[in-house]
Amino acid sequence: MATLPVFRWRLAPDGYATRRQLRALGLRPGGQDVAAQLERPRRRRGPLVAYLYRIDLAKPVRPMTPGRRAALDAAMTARRTCPNCRRDAGYCIPRSLGMCVPCSDLDTDAAG
């Protein structure tokens, strides 16, 4: 089993990129395995690790189709809809609350 090359933070050679960097270039890993990793040392815990992919093996991002757009819109609508009052909150409902902020405020007022 081959081990991955490990580079220090900000010292990766050209030709490697993280997922976010690939996305900014309009690319995706495209099924390739992780090619290398970056490690950023920390004082009291283990190092932060970022996985790198080869840019030359990356594929272009798939275009947004009408079906994918509709599915994404439906998912975002579900994240914005309060399960209590069934209204669109206009923002993504916090998972910690489980409901929109006004319903949460009413819930805490009733409990307190």
Side-chain angles (χ1 to χ4, degrees):
M1 181 170 152
T3 60
L4 293 176
V6 177
F7 302 108
R8 300 260 314 169
W9 203 253
R10 297 180 188 255
L11 295 178
D14 292 337
Y16 291 101
T18 63
R19 282 182 180 270
R20 284 188 180 195
Q21 291 168 336
L22 287 176
R23 186 64 183 207
L25 296 172
L27 301 171
R28 62 186 168 95
Q32 67 173 302
D33 292 329
V34 174
Q37 71 181 30
L38 288 175
E39 285 190 357
R40 178 179 172 207
R42 297 192 288 182
R43 292 178 190 250
R44 293 184 172 85
R45 294 185 282 177
L48 288 175
V49 175
Y51 296 109
L52 299 173
Y53 300 90
R54 289 183 41 189
I55 295 175
D56 60 336
L57 298 179
K59 296 180 180 176
V61 174
R62 294 184 187 116
M64 184 65 74
T65 63
R68 288 177 69 196
R69 167 107 29 226
L72 183 60
D73 289 341
M76 291 307 293
T77 300
R79 288 184 66 190
R80 289 191 315 263
T81 303
C82 177
N84 271 6
C85 62
R86 298 283 181 209
R87 288 187 296 190
D88 185 343
Y91 54 88
C92 289
I93 304 227
R95 292 177 61 193
S96 60
L97 297 178
M99 60 187 83
C100 65
V101 174
C103 287
S104 174
D105 290 343
L106 290 175
D107 192 38
T108 55
D109 289 343

